[in-house]
Amino acid sequence: MATINDLPDAILINAFALISDTRTRNSLSLTCHRFLQIERTTRVSLTLRGNARDLFMIPRCFRSVTRLDLSLLSPWGHALLFSSSCEPKLIAHHLRRAFPSVTSLTVYSRSPSILEVLIPQWPGLRHVKLVRWHQRPQIPLGSVRSDFTPLFEQCSSLTSLDLSEFYYWTEDLPPVLQAYPSTSASLTKLNLLTKSFSEGFKSSEIQDITKACPNLTHLLIACMFDPRYVGFVGDEALLSIPNNCPKLTLLHLADTTSLGNTRGNPNHDGYTSEDARISHVTLVDFFSGLPLIEELVLDVCKNVRDSGLALEVLGSKCPKLRVLKLGQFHSVCMAVGSNLDGVALCEGLESLSIKNSADLDDMRLIEIGRGCGRLKRFEAIGCKRITVKGVRTLACLLTKSLVEVKISCCINLDAAGTLRALEPLRDRIERLHIDCLWGSLGEEGDGSGEGVCDFVLNEVGEFQNGNEMDFEDMRKKKKCKYSLEAEEDVEAELNYLYMESNGNGSWCKSWERLRYLSLWIAVGELLTPLPTPTLGLEECPNLEEIRIQVEGDCRERHRLSDRTLGFGLSTLAQYPQLSKMQLDCSDAIGFALTAPSGQMDLSLWERFFLTGIGNLSLNELDYWPPQDQDVNQRSLSLPAAGLLAECHSLRKLFIHGTAHEHFMNFLLGITNLRDVQLREDYYPAPENDMSTEMRVDSCCRFEDALNKRPIPD
């Protein structure tokens, strides 16, 4: 009988090349010598873990690797190549011999000396990503020994540079780009969307960058659109981008205030105190100059009023546009009469995100659903005028395509309302974000937890025999309704579409395709209502990953009356496939040290957040501890370490903060734990850890103890 081992090498190589999961590849390589050789031959991407002092032990069997990531070596954030007793140049030479084919490199560059030693080993590098969350070293502006000089000197064929997680000064980059014109001209991808910036690039710097890199196809850049600041981005800087870089297919322009994860104020009216200094004529010329654009993000954070006409130009001049995100754009469409207008004319869109659009209401939402019939992903953030009725009708219009939805900070849409609105997509959605606002649970009506809608929803009906609606017939029928007067027409259209969406059958009760769930929840609230029948998320048979963001000021909360029940993580145990979790409490602010009378310090809050986590069968956990902003401290507490040690199924644990060495030793009791790391990936990362927290030596001791244990699998 023929087996898979009898297949020719050409077929096996193609089959192995399609496997991306690292553990699966490792398992296959242990099957036999032939599989080992084929797996190593087809392995093109590798992320090195372990301690930097052991780099000299790297085997030379991964010679086909082209993408190498050195940014996650331990001790995290310390000087690579200088953490070992060996000569740095010798280690760099050994890396080159082990990985001779590298063309893409990711490295934590604490200082320019790391790049000076490492970059010459691979002069043919085409993509480089630099990582640094620590403060910029004291290097004078214009110095020949800058962070970027070794890179541009040695890599003449560089085509892609990613600085999204690298802290530097915006003044550092333009002089280097101008000093090495040939390397700058070869760049096609440039990611400057640095999250740790406080202000972003000024208008003149954007013009210099785009002028030095005329062949860019991908540009992501953090800007400053606030007209109250010197050097804000306005008409001149905006027009310079398509003029200098006409080949752009991807462009992200985001104000630095939009880069954080903090949720906005749902009670805000949606208009900022200042308008962006971007005229309608400039927007039209800007869009007209980007005929090849496929992905566009404009998160301005300042009012861009009456943008519908310019967005019509975008739809007509940019036929390849597939992804669009707009922040603080108002009047994106008008929804007057039967004719489509504004963003609804961007018919080719597959992903649309609208953020803080003050006048986006249900009728405009429905117009978007009518015009953008190919949408696979839709986000509405901070849009206070949309309601269950509009979102539900949009969901029905896009029932054949929409698989990813995010509804956040919309005053009329709490958790129950959002899930009720998405009922037509229950058997379609694969990725979902909701805000955990439980205001209307168990109540009849619209599901508005933070505000009041202008109408009362009818009871939810169903499709007849479970079949989908024929929306082409529905569109033909509803055209006759536009003969009404304008004001009556809007209400009649809304009611007609909503009634059509209710049908006469039964909705699927299971979210059978949902694999990723993202939640926002306020400090002090509980997760317990999430998997209940009242909310409707009780059946998620294929949910694999969940992200929970906790936000709020713990200092404004008094002692919780009953902390024994905890946050409610144990209720997630009813999701059978849940194996990955990201628990982000970094936006929960409190007292790291002794709290005032009547309040809890962060160690008690961590006990509250993590109680019950041992009941989950997690394989991988990313945990961000709450922080004390006054002392810039995000540290794992004793209760948190004890509760994490109860997660007996964990294989990977990444703590995004600091910890004491004896707290970390609690984790050695987790039988399957294979990969643990402390990552201070927030700005500014502590320069010098406290004497009682994890240092280089204590990190090495912990890793030695971890690696000495037998691993069952």
Side-chain angles (χ1 to χ4, degrees):
M1 180 183 293
T3 65
I4 189 174
N5 202 36
D6 297 322
L7 292 174
D9 284 350
I11 296 178
L12 280 178
I13 287 174
N14 288 330
F16 272 63
L18 296 174
I19 302 172
S20 58
D21 181 68
T22 303
R23 291 203 67 196
T24 302
R25 295 187 69 98
N26 292 341
S27 299
L28 287 170
S29 68
L30 297 174
T31 305
C32 61
H33 286 289
R34 185 185 181 205
F35 277 24
L36 172 63
Q37 184 179 4
I38 293 175
E39 195 283 324
R40 296 297 187 256
T41 302
T42 58
R43 177 88 67 123
V44 295
S45 179
L46 187 66
T47 299
L48 282 186
R49 288 285 291 107
N51 202 293
R53 64 179 178 173
D54 300 326
L55 283 175
F56 67 92
M57 299 172 60
I58 296 175
R60 298 181 183 176
C61 57
F62 295 101
R63 304 184 66 82
S64 299
V65 167
T66 58
R67 299 190 298 273
L68 181 62
D69 188 346
L70 302 176
S71 65
L72 298 177
L73 286 167
S74 295
W76 185 92
H78 288 268
L80 177 67
L81 309 181
F82 295 89
S83 299
S84 171
S85 58
C86 297
E87 172 65 28
K89 291 185 178 179
L90 183 61
I91 297 178
H93 179 69
H94 184 75
L95 282 170
R96 187 193 65 181
R97 294 185 66 185
F99 308 105
S101 306
V102 169
T103 58
S104 174
L105 179 66
T106 302
V107 61
Y108 197 102
S109 179
R110 187 84 176 256
S111 65
S113 58
I114 296 173
L115 296 181
E116 290 173 357
V117 176
L118 202 59
I119 293 299
Q121 308 303 321
W122 298 288
L125 283 175
R126 300 179 64 82
H127 169 78
V128 173
K129 179 178 180 178
L130 302 182
V131 181
R132 180 170 70 200
W133 292 97
H134 290 83
Q135 295 187 30
R136 174 186 181 273
Q138 296 301 315
I139 304 173
L141 283 175
S143 171
V144 294
R145 195 172 176 271
S146 73
D147 284 306
F148 308 116
T149 302
L151 188 60
F152 281 79
E153 276 184 347
Q154 302 290 333
C155 302
S156 57
S157 57
L158 188 68
T159 61
S160 175
L161 178 60
D162 188 343
L163 303 177
S164 59
E165 297 181 4
F166 184 76
Y167 180 74
Y168 59 102
W169 292 349
T170 58
E171 303 95 315
D172 292 337
L173 187 59
V176 178
L177 293 173
Q178 294 168 344
Y180 299 92
S182 60
T183 305
S184 302
S186 69
L187 285 174
T188 59
K189 298 180 181 180
L190 188 58
N191 189 343
L192 307 178
L193 209 61
T194 309
K195 301 174 184 177
S196 53
F197 278 161
S198 59
E199 293 185 355
F201 286 91
K202 297 179 175 61
S203 175
S204 59
E205 294 167 342
I206 292 175
Q207 295 177 59
D208 292 340
I209 291 170
T210 54
K211 187 175 181 180
C213 308
N215 295 312
L216 288 177
T217 60
H218 290 54
L219 176 62
L220 302 89
I221 189 163
C223 310
M224 185 172 56
F225 288 97
D226 194 335
R228 297 173 296 181
Y229 287 83
V230 175
F232 70 91
V233 174
D235 290 345
E236 185 179 2
L238 208 60
L239 290 176
S240 70
I241 296 174
N243 291 337
N244 294 332
C245 305
K247 301 177 183 179
L248 284 173
T249 60
L250 181 149
L251 177 60
H252 289 204
L253 300 177
D255 193 276
T256 51
T257 57
S258 70
L259 300 180
N261 293 325
T262 307
R263 183 175 182 263
N265 180 8
N267 295 307
H268 192 270
D269 65 0
Y271 292 102
T272 57
S273 57
E274 299 284 339
D275 288 356
R277 301 294 173 83
I278 302 174
S279 66
H280 297 123
V281 174
T282 296
L283 273 181
V284 170
D285 293 341
F286 175 72
F287 294 147
S288 300
L290 298 170
L292 304 178
I293 201 73
E294 298 174 11
E295 181 172 334
L296 178 62
V297 174
L298 292 174
D299 202 343
V300 180
C301 292
K302 297 296 173 185
N303 299 322
V304 179
R305 302 177 186 268
D306 302 321
S307 59
L309 181 60
L311 293 174
E312 290 182 14
V313 175
L314 175 66
S316 62
K317 298 291 186 179
C318 308
K320 297 182 178 181
L321 186 66
R322 297 295 177 265
V323 180
L324 178 62
K325 180 177 180 179
L326 302 172
Q328 217 68 45
F329 275 63
H330 309 299
S331 301
V332 294
C333 59
M334 299 306 295
V336 176
S338 61
N339 294 325
L340 300 175
D341 67 280
V343 73
L345 290 175
C346 299
E347 299 178 352
L349 283 181
E350 296 178 358
S351 174
L352 176 61
S353 175
I354 301 178
K355 180 180 177 182
N356 296 333
S357 182
D359 53 5
L360 182 70
D361 57 17
D362 288 339
M363 282 308 302
R364 300 181 187 197
L365 200 61
I366 293 168
E367 183 178 357
I368 291 172
R370 289 174 53 221
C372 305
R374 301 179 184 176
L375 282 181
K376 298 178 181 178
R377 177 183 181 187
F378 178 74
E379 295 182 356
I381 306 169
C383 302
K384 64 175 297 182
R385 298 184 65 181
I386 63 174
T387 67
V388 173
K389 200 170 187 179
V391 175
R392 186 182 183 86
T393 308
L394 174 78
C396 289
L397 289 168
L398 300 175
T399 189
K400 294 183 179 181
S401 62
L402 202 59
V403 295
E404 182 174 351
V405 177
K406 178 177 181 178
I407 305 293
S408 179
C409 202
C410 298
I411 192 171
N412 289 317
L413 290 163
D414 63 2
T418 301
L419 294 174
R420 188 181 305 127
L422 296 177
E423 279 181 342
L425 298 171
R426 271 190 176 184
D427 59 340
R428 303 296 181 92
I429 288 184
E430 299 174 5
R431 298 173 67 89
L432 174 65
H433 172 93
I434 62 172
D435 292 346
C436 294
L437 302 167
W438 316 122
S440 65
L441 283 180
E443 300 175 6
E444 298 293 332
D446 55 19
S448 57
E450 293 183 272
V452 179
C453 296
D454 295 331
F455 50 82
V456 178
L457 287 175
N458 298 305
E459 289 296 322
V460 178
E462 288 122 10
F463 290 153
Q464 188 171 8
N465 299 325
N467 295 326
E468 297 175 0
M469 301 163 45
D470 188 343
F471 286 106
E472 292 302 321
D473 290 344
M474 186 184 69
R475 288 189 177 100
K476 293 176 183 178
K477 291 177 182 178
K478 70 184 179 61
K479 285 183 179 179
C480 65
K481 303 188 72 65
Y482 285 108
S483 60
L484 302 174
E485 295 296 329
E487 185 174 349
E488 296 177 354
D489 183 34
V490 170
E491 186 64 24
E493 172 75 357
L494 182 59
N495 288 327
Y496 179 78
L497 280 172
Y498 183 72
M499 291 301 295
E500 285 282 349
S501 74
N502 282 339
N504 296 312
S506 60
W507 298 114
C508 176
K509 296 186 181 298
S510 172
W511 300 76
E512 57 188 34
R513 295 191 184 181
L514 185 65
R515 286 175 170 79
Y516 175 87
L517 178 63
S518 173
L519 306 171
W520 176 94
I521 189 167
V523 160
E525 297 294 328
L526 302 178
L527 277 176
T528 47
L530 183 69
T532 59
T534 308
L535 194 64
L537 266 177
E538 71 278 11
E539 292 186 33
C540 301
N542 296 304
L543 181 63
E544 300 172 352
E545 183 176 357
I546 188 168
R547 176 179 175 84
I548 303 171
Q549 181 186 355
V550 183
E551 182 183 336
D553 195 338
C554 302
R555 299 169 298 184
E556 297 177 355
R557 308 277 305 198
H558 293 288
R559 282 184 176 272
L560 300 176
S561 58
D562 187 359
R563 301 192 303 274
T564 58
L565 298 177
F567 184 42
L569 289 180
S570 59
T571 60
L572 303 179
Q574 76 175 64
Y575 300 131
Q577 299 299 322
L578 184 62
S579 60
K580 296 182 181 180
M581 176 182 287
Q582 301 174 49
L583 181 56
D584 186 354
C585 301
S586 60
D587 289 318
I589 303 166
F591 299 100
L593 306 176
T594 305
S597 176
Q599 294 188 339
M600 302 194 308
D601 60 31
L602 289 181
S603 65
L604 296 178
W605 276 106
E606 282 197 278
R607 175 183 292 171
F608 170 74
F609 293 138
L610 292 171
T611 294
I613 196 170
N615 297 328
L616 307 180
S617 300
L618 297 176
N619 293 329
E620 186 173 332
L621 173 64
D622 281 78
Y623 174 59
W624 288 259
Q627 63 168 313
D628 188 334
Q629 291 182 329
D630 294 336
V631 294
N632 188 34
Q633 183 173 351
R634 308 185 191 192
S635 183
L636 190 72
S637 65
L638 175 60
L643 290 166
L644 290 176
E646 296 178 359
C647 300
H648 301 295
S649 61
L650 270 185
R651 186 175 179 86
K652 294 184 179 182
L653 173 61
F654 304 118
I655 300 170
H656 301 262
T658 61
H660 299 284
E661 182 178 0
H662 56 289
F663 292 173
M664 293 294 290
N665 289 333
F666 286 19
L667 305 177
L668 297 175
I670 304 176
T671 307
N672 293 314
L673 195 61
R674 189 72 182 92
D675 194 359
V676 185
Q677 192 170 43
L678 295 176
R679 299 175 182 173
E680 300 161 4
D681 49 358
Y682 51 90
Y683 181 81
E687 288 291 334
N688 297 303
D689 292 337
M690 298 170 59
S691 60
T692 56
E693 292 185 322
M694 294 289 282
R695 304 175 302 281
V696 174
D697 292 340
S698 54
C699 179
C700 294
R701 286 194 295 269
F702 172 77
E703 290 183 348
D704 289 341
L706 184 69
N707 294 329
K708 286 178 181 177
R709 303 173 313 138
I711 304 298
D713 59 349

